[in-house]
Every structure is written in structure tokens, then in C-alpha cells.
């Protein structure tokens, strides 16, 4: 007669990203030797489990789920090396033990979110993510459009950030909580409403702590030995759940789904089952389980979306609460150190701190480190802690190694306590074709994905650097800003060079998935995206797109874009838009030879635009007030720079003739006539004597002061140093200012302050020094003026001044 072996189910309630929990999970798995491991996580991600074996994934990494027809709706499930779930994955895959994710499928989570967003009438949806109640124990970190609007609800059964209550999952018993006795109150961390939001705060309060994180570190993260705490954790959570409000529908469905998966594992014949889940859920998964019929009813009609699932790299800093991640922790670097280090935890940590400070050329010796260790241990003893925690270590670092300098402490925090390390994924990990092409191209061009900012200097005369530039421009066009162009540095190093700042952020993985809708390769996707944007773009946007298309070497997009530009330019009569469209065209044509792209048609379109601008500018400047004229002045400057860059004698001659016509007019704003005069002077079309005559005419008596000031502002904008070199010109301005009536001076002063305030300090100083030597008439050395002083009348004030200055007379 065969005896049936009773199934053994051990529920391991953990804190996500907790090194103490991770250590306890490994010990619990070693003791149980389960024949199946069930992990809280989206049930449709089981096919991603095998990639955790063999070092193909280097944490931190995250599972990414994105809706197939709307990739902007997506979620992350991050894992660090010290995450209990990750250690369970590694333990099981290394031993060939089956692993199952048992939480609601990602397709159901994202379907619920999409429905909620639709009901709310906005794509951003619930600020806490996927309809979660305030418990925040979400289903993955949510990002919208892979961009700055990151929304999180992730990973964290029982973890929440963003409020004054922060919830964490528990992996070790709390003093006074084992017997379920909790001092409930009407408010504060132990009120029934707050317990579901922040169970650790309730346990910490029961233990006499006012800081939940301090309690957690004392009882869990700092301990490296002792029995697994899961039974006591489950008992404590059961007591908390009994007093907390009932779960919302989403949490109830999650727990129902996990129970169904547990029943399925038992039905399949597994006799030793390990369940790794957030501690808040542990009581709901402990056997005996409630009837399956109730769970089935809860899950009836559960909507699902078709989703794309893959692994993506994550960063240490994204595990930190400061990044906005819902299940975040304050110190991922410190937690990783706790997980990896079995002995001399504090000493080895402070050795790393000393090394980090020495990199900043600070004199940190071994004696400093020894003294810091002693101080941290003493602080722990005084505070009744069995081991120093991060608070004691940080205070010892500040006092001994940083001499009280908070800036240095911040450096240590950023580099070590939080850290900035990007995970890695293997080439065989499933992903969208566009991402595979991007990674293959990056490898070929020797561009490493890194979370640390990196400056990249490119010489476009080299084929390798030119290919890098094209890739970065294509990604920018696709909305995947891996690199940010440093325009100032690029301009300062010549037309053959570009400067980029590269930093890879996890949310860019979502942007890549979104961009995959446009094509399977970076070039094809960028081309399709460019042509699509051109369909609804105005003339200025079109020429900007054309410039980027040439920089990105998108030959298939250049023809359609040129056709659209030609068409728009022929029908657009707005001079402002025509002037805004010219500079990108000219830059694209001027620098085309550097990149080896054919742009013969660009010159024709640019010349046609310039002809229309020259013909229409006179009418466009008529009737503009000073504010509108100042706005148009910037476009005149940009057009002038573009014409000079074009280096076409006929076009330059036509443009300078247009500027002279503007400068000669007396019926338009001085902001434009003054600017036209200055541009003609810089181009050599007017000599200094003629400019001084024009200035004297516009600053003559009878012209309103504000009109005169507008002319000066237009003339001097962008280059006041001219006054320091032309003393006669400075004399004209000086005489004008000296003869302004008080009311007129007050009226013109704001504009003059803006004019001279915009000059660099050195320029203003040079103009001021030159003004000292300018004669009142502007035609000779300043005459000295002698003023007769009555000695008797001056004696009293002089004695007072001498007394104030401490002098004797």
C-alpha cells in the first residue's frame, strides 16, 4: 500500500529589495529543498525565467511589460542582486527546480490600467498606478511614454513612497508583535486606516521605535545569522490584517490568483512548495486555503491586453526612493554591501568610503578609517543597537572622514550609499527587433550603455565617428535621447566636430519599444518617423526635420522632406516663418560636405526662401510695436547669420540691400532700424562716420525717449564692445544721455538697463572705462572743472567725516 506524502508549503514573506529577506530566503530554500518555487510576479513572464541562469542577466535588471499596440502603457518589475525574488530565481534555475510567477498576468494589470485611464479621460491615469489602493503594493513600476512622466506602483507588496507614510514588507519578527498584541489608536501609524498603508510603521511603533526604517534595519537588514523569520512574520502580518480595513478589489484579485496558482502546483503533484511573496500577502497564502470557488468568481471576466515582455537593464539609483520608484529603498549601495559582506561589515564599508574620498584628493588615511569604525561602534552601543547601521556609519563618516563637510557626505551618498550601476542583459534575451538592431549597432560602434554620464567627442572626418553621430541623431529623432548634443562645445571645435553627453536611463527601454512601431532597424524607424512628422509640420518644423534627416543620413526621407519644404514655401506668406525656416536649410547645405551627403537641391530651396524674404520684409516690419519688432529682430539676426554662412555673393548682396532699406526708414521701430544699421556696419556696408551721423539723427531732440532707447538697444544688442573702441560713437551716446530731460531719462531707463545689462561684465567694464574719458561734447579731452569751496562752511562736515573714519585733523 502506497502512503501519500503530505504536501509541505512554506510561505516566505519578504520585503522587496531587502538583503536580510534575501539571505533568509536562500537559507529557507536550502532547508526546504522545494520541488517548485512560486514567486510573486506576473504569471505571463514564466518564459523569462530561464534567462536568469548562467550569468546572462547581471542585476540590477527589470522585467518590462508593454502593451503591444500602445507601448507607452508599460510596467517594470525591477530586481537587484539583494532582492529576495532574484535570489529565489537564481537558486531555482541553478538547481533545475521549476519556477513559476503567480501574480496577476502583466496583460491583466495593464488592461485594468488602460480601462481606468479611459474612465478618467486621460492617458496618465491613476497617480498611484493601475488602480491600486493606498497600500501601493503594486504590479510593477509604471512609466508613461518612457519619459519624464514616470509613474510607479511597482514591485512592492507592502511598499509605497510619495507620502509621509511609507510601507515596507516585513521579513523578521518585531518585539511585541509575535503574539499579535498591537496598541491600536485612532490616528498615527497604528490606526486601522494606516496599517494597510504602512504595516512596518505599526510594528515599529509596537516595538517602541519612532522610525520604521531604523527598526527594520535593526531587526532584519543588519542581522546575518539566526533562523528564518517567516513564521513569525506571517503571524505578525495576520494580526495587522485582522485590524486593517478590507482589501480593495485589485488586491483581492491578486491574492485570489496567487492562491489558484498555488493550488495548481499542488494538484500537479509537487510536495515541497516554496512561495516567495510580499509579507503582507503571506497570511492569504498560508494553508489551509479557502475554497477555490470564491477565488474563481473574483477572477471571472478578467480583461487582458496583448503585451510585449522582456528583460531590460536597470540602475542602482532607480532602486532608490529618490528616483520615484514605488518599492524603492533609501540605500541600494549599502544594502548590496550588507548582502555581499559576511563579516567586518562596517570596517569594509568605511574602507570603500576612504577610497572614494581619496579619489577627490582628500588626505584620508587608515588611521582615519580605524577611528571612524570605533566611532560608529560607540554610537551603536550608546543607542542600544547590536550593530552599527547606516545612520551611525554616516555620522562617523561626516565627523571623522569628511570633517563635517556635508558636500563630501553627499558625494559619498551618491557614489556608494545609492550608487550608479547599470545592469546587463545577454544577447539572447528576447526583445523587439529595433532594440536588437540598436544593441548590435552600438556594439559595432563601441558605444557602451552606461548609467554614468560620459562625454563623447566626435571627429566627423573619421568614418567611425561619423557613424556614431548618425546613430545618435537617428535615436534623437525617434524620441530615444541616449545622447544630448552639446551645441556650444560643437560650435567651438569647428564644423568637423561634435560633442555629445551620453547617459542611458532605464525608461529609454520603453522609448525603444515605442519606437519599434516605426520599423525593425534604427535607420528604417527613424526614416518612417521623420516622414510621418513631416505630414503635419509647418515650414519651420519641416526645415528643422530636414536638417536632422541630413545629420542622421536618412536618404530615403530627404526627398519627401524637400518636396514638402518647396510646397510649403511657395504657399506660406508669413515672413517670420520663412525667416525661421532659412537657417536650418543653410546649415544643412553648408555642412553637407563634412558628412558626405548629397544636398544639391537644398541650395535651390534656400535661395528661393531668401528671395521671398527680401521681397516681403519691408511690408512685414511696417506697423510693428517695439515688442513685436524686438521679437522679429532675433529672426533678422538669424537670417543674417544664415546668409553669411551660405556664402553666395548674389544672395548676400540682395540681403544687404534689404537691410539698407530697413535702416533708412523712419516710420518703423528703432529696434529694427538700429539693428539693421549695426549689421550693415559689421558687414562693411556703412563706415563709422555714416553710422555716427545716423545715430545722431535718431537720437536727436524731438524723438520720443523710448524710441531713441529702442534704436540704441537694437544697435548695441549682442556687441556693446564697439562703444569701447569707437570713442566718437560713444560720445554721441554719452551726449544724448547727458541731455535727456529727467522724465525722458526715467522713461528710457528700463530699456537701457536691459541693453547694457545683457552685456558680459568685462564688456560693461570696458565701456565704462571708455566713458570716463569721453568729453561732454564728444570732440576733445574732458575739461577739468574747478569748483570754489568755502573753507569755513566745509570745516564742520570734514570734521564729522574724519571722526567717522577714525582720522584726526
Amino acid at each position: 500500500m502506497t502512503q501519500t506524502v503530505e504536501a509541505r508549503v512554506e510561505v516566505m514573506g519578504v520585503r522587496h529589495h531587502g538583503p536580510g529577506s534575501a539571505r533568509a530566503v536562500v537559507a529557507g530554500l536550502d532547508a526546504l529543498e522545494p520541488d517548485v518555487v512560486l514567486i510573486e510576479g506576473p504569471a505571463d513572464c514564466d518564459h523569462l525565467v530561464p534567462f536568469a541562469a548562467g550569468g546572462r542577466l547581471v542585476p540590477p535588471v527589470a522585467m518590462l511589460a508593454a502593451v503591444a499596440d500602445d507601448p507607452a502603457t508599460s510596467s517594470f518589475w525591477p530586481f537587484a542582486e539583494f532582492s529576495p525574488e532574484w535570489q529565489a530565481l537564481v537558486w531555482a534555475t541553478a538547481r533545475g527546480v521549476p519556477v513559476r510567477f503567480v501574480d496577476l498576468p502583466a496583460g491583466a494589470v495593464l488592461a485594468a490600467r488602460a480601462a481606468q485611464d479611459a474612465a478618467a479621460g486621460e492617458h496618465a491615469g491613476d497617480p498611484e498606478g493601475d488602480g491600486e489602493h493606498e497600500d501601493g503594493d503594486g504590479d510593477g513600476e509604471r512609466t508613461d511614454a518612457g519619459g519624464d512622466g514616470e509613474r510607479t506602483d511597482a514591485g512592492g507588496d507592502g511598499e509605497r513612497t510619495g507620502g509621509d507614510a511609507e510601507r515596507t514588507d516585513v521579513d523578521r519578527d518585531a518585539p511585541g508583535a509575535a503574539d499579535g498584541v498591537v496598541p491600536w489608536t485612532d490616528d498615527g501609524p497604528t490606526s486601522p486606516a494606516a496599517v494597510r498603508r504602512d504595516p512596518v510603521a505599526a510594528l515599529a511603533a509596537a516595538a517602541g521605535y519612532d522610525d520604521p526604517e531604523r527598526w527594520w534595519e535593526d531587526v532584519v537588514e543588519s542581522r546575518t545569522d539566526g533562523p528564518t523569520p517567516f513564521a513569525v512574520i506571517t503571524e505578525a502580518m495576520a494580526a495587522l490584517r485582522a485590524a486593517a480595513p478590507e482589501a480593495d478589489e485589485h488586491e483581492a484579485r491578486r491574492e485570489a490568483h496567487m492562491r489558484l496558482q498555488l493550488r495548481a502546483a499542488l494538484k500537479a503533484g509537487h510536495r515541497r512548495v516554496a512561495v516567495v511573496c510580499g509579507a503582507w500577502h503571506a497570511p492569504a497564502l498560508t494553508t489551509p486555503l479557502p475554497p477555490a470557488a470564491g477565488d474563481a468568481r473574483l477572477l471571472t471576466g478578467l480583461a487582458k491586453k496583448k503585451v510585449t515582455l522582456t528583460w531590460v537593464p536597470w540602475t542602482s539609483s532607480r532602486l532608490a526612493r529618490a528616483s520615484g520608484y514605488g518599492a524603492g529603498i533609501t540605500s541600494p549601495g549599502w544594502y548590496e554591501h550588507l548582502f555581499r559582506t559576511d563579516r567586518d561589515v562596517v570596517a569594509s564599508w568605511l574602507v570603500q568610503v576612504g577610497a572614494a574620498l581619496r579619489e577627490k584628493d582628500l588626505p584620508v588615511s587608515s588611521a582615519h578609517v580605524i577611528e571612524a569604525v570605533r566611532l560608529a561602534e560607540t554610537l551603536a552601543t550608546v543607542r542600544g543597537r547590536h550593530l552599527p547601521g547606516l545612520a551611525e556609519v554616516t555620522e562617523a563618516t561626516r565627523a571623522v572622514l569628511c570633517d563635517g563637510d556635508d558636500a563630501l557626505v553627499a558625494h559619498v551618498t551618491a557614489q556608494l550609499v545609492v550608487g550608479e550601476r547599470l545592469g546587463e542583459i545577454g544577447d539572447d534575451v528576447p526583445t523587439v527587433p529595433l532594440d536588437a538592431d540598436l544593441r548590435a549597432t552600438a556594439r559595432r560602434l563601441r558605444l557602451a550603455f552606461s548609467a554614468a554620464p560620459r562625454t563623447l567627442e566626435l571627429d566627423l572626418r573619421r568614418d567611425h565617428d561619423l557613424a556614431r553621430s548618425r546613430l545618435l541623431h537617428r535615436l534623437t529623432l525617434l524620441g530615444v535621447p541616449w545622447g544630448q548634443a552639446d551645441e556650444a562645445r560643437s560650435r567651438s571645435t569647428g564644423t568637423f566636430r561634435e560633442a555629445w553627453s551620453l547617459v542611458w536611463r532605464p525608461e529609454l527601454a520603453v522609448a525603444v519599444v515605442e519606437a519599434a512601431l516605426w520599423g525593425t532597424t534604427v535607420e528604417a524607424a527613424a526614416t518612417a518617423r521623420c516622414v510621418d512628422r513631416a505630414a503635419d509640420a509647418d515650414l519651420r518644423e519641416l526645415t528643422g526635420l530636414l536638417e536632422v534627416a541630413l545629420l542622421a543620413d536618412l536618404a530615403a526621407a530627404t526627398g519627401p522632406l524637400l518636396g514638402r519644404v518647396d510646397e510649403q514655401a511657395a504657399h506660406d506668406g508669413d515672413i517670420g516663418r520663412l525667416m525661421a525656416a532659412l537657417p536650418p536649410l543653410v546649415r544643412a547645405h553648408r555642412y553637407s560636405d563634412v558628412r558626405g551627403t548629397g544636398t544639391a537641391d537644398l541650395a535651390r530651396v534656400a535661395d528661393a526662401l531668401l528671395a521671398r524674404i527680401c521681397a516681403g520684409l519691408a511690408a512685414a516690419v511696417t506697423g510693428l510695436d517695439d515688442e513685436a519688432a524686438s521679437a522679429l529682430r532675433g529672426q533678422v539676426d538669424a537670417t543674417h547669420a544664415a546668409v553669411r554662412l551660405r556664402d553666395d555673393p548674389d544672395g548676400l548682396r540682395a540681403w544687404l540691400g534689404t537691410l539698407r532699406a530697413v535702416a533708412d526708414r523712419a516710420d518703423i521701430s528703432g529696434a529694427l532700424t538700429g539693428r539693421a544699421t549695426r549689421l550693415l556696419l559689421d558687414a562693411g556696408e556703412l563706415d563709422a562716420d555714416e553710422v555716427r551721423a545716423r545715430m545722431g539723427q535718431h537720437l536727436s531732440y524731438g524723438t520720443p525717449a523710448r524710441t531713441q532707447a529702442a534704436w540704441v538697444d537694437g544697435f548695441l544688442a549682442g556687441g556693446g564692445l564697439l562703444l569701447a573702441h569707437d570713442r566718437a560713437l560713444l560720445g554721441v551716446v554719452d551726449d544724448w544721455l547727458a541731455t535727456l530731460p529727467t522724465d525722458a531719462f526715467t522713461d528710457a531707463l528700463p530699456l537701457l538697463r536691459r541693453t547694457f545689462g545683457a552685456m558680459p561684465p568685462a564688456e560693461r567694464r570696458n565701456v565704462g572705462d571708455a566713458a570716463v574719458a569721453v568729453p561732454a561734447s564728444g570732440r576733445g579731452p574732458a575739461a577739468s572743472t574747478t569748483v570754489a569751496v568755502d573753507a569755513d562752511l566745509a570745516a564742520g562736515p570734514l570734521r564729522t567725516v574724519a571722526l567717522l573714519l577714525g582720522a584726526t585733523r
Side-chain angles (χ1 to χ4, degrees), residues 18 31 55 79 131 162-163 193 244 250 265 328 350 360 455 474 533 555 589 602 608 612 652 688:
F79 298 88
H250 182 74
L350 289 172
K360 294 182 72 69
T455 299
R474 289 170 181 176
R533 287 176 58 183
H589 178 267
L602 284 174
R612 298 195 63 201
L652 180 60

Side-chain angles (χ1 to χ4, degrees), residues 244-468:
E246 292 185 2
D248 65 356
E249 183 180 27
H250 182 74
E251 182 180 313
R253 283 183 169 179
R254 291 184 62 200
E255 293 180 347
H257 193 277
M258 287 188 270
R259 285 192 294 266
L260 287 180
Q261 296 295 309
L262 175 54
R263 293 188 189 97
L266 294 173
K267 186 176 180 180
H270 295 293
R271 299 293 91 187
R272 297 185 309 280
V273 182
V275 181
V276 181
C277 65
W280 183 256
H281 300 298
L285 303 180
T286 302
T287 54
L289 301 176
D295 292 339
R297 281 195 301 271
L298 276 173
L299 297 172
T300 299
L302 189 65
K304 292 183 181 180
K305 288 276 190 179
K306 184 178 180 181
V307 294
T308 300
L309 301 164
T310 187
W311 288 103
V312 296
W314 202 249
T315 64
S316 298
S317 63
R318 286 285 169 159
L319 294 169
R321 290 196 183 97
S323 73
Y325 163 42
I329 53 179
T330 57
S331 48
W334 169 252
Y335 274 11
E336 183 176 280
H337 179 74
L338 287 178
F339 180 75
R340 290 182 172 183
T341 308
D342 294 329
R343 51 188 297 181
D344 298 326
V345 174
V346 174
S348 58
W349 175 263
L350 289 172
V351 166
Q352 295 181 52
V353 172
L357 293 174
R358 281 193 294 273
E359 289 178 358
K360 294 182 72 69
D361 297 326
L362 295 172
V364 178
S365 66
S366 57
H368 287 92
V369 174
I370 292 170
E371 186 60 30
V373 172
R374 289 173 176 169
L375 178 57
E377 291 174 345
T378 301
L379 287 172
T381 301
V382 169
R383 294 169 179 175
R385 308 187 72 176
H386 69 285
L387 284 175
L390 182 58
E392 287 72 30
V393 171
T394 301
E395 290 179 37
T397 298
R398 177 182 286 105
V400 179
L401 304 182
C402 298
D403 291 328
D405 190 334
D406 286 336
L408 293 178
V409 176
H411 169 73
V412 171
T413 299
Q415 183 168 334
L416 295 178
V417 177
V418 175
E420 187 59 273
R421 185 164 57 85
L422 184 68
E424 300 175 17
I425 61 172
D427 295 336
D428 59 343
V429 174
T431 185
V432 294
L434 178 64
D435 186 62
D437 179 68
L438 169 58
R439 294 188 178 279
T441 305
R443 277 196 309 274
R444 177 170 55 83
L445 298 177
R446 296 193 295 277
L447 289 173
F449 295 94
S450 173
R454 170 194 174 194
T455 299
L456 188 66
E457 301 278 356
L458 300 179
D459 185 341
L460 302 180
R461 295 168 294 186
R462 299 168 52 191
D463 291 341
H464 186 74
D465 282 358
L466 183 58
R468 287 176 163 186

Side-chain angles (χ1 to χ4, degrees), residues 67-72 145 432-435 437 474-480 510-536 545 554 556-557:
V67 176
D69 57 358
D70 181 20
V432 294
L434 178 64
D435 186 62
D437 179 68
R474 289 170 181 176
L475 291 174
T476 301
L477 188 60
L478 284 171
V480 186
V510 177
V512 172
V513 174
E514 281 193 274
L517 295 174
W518 298 104
T520 58
T521 67
V522 175
E523 181 179 4
T527 299
R529 178 64 177 136
C530 190
V531 172
D532 180 78
R533 287 176 58 183
D536 299 319
L545 278 173
L554 301 177

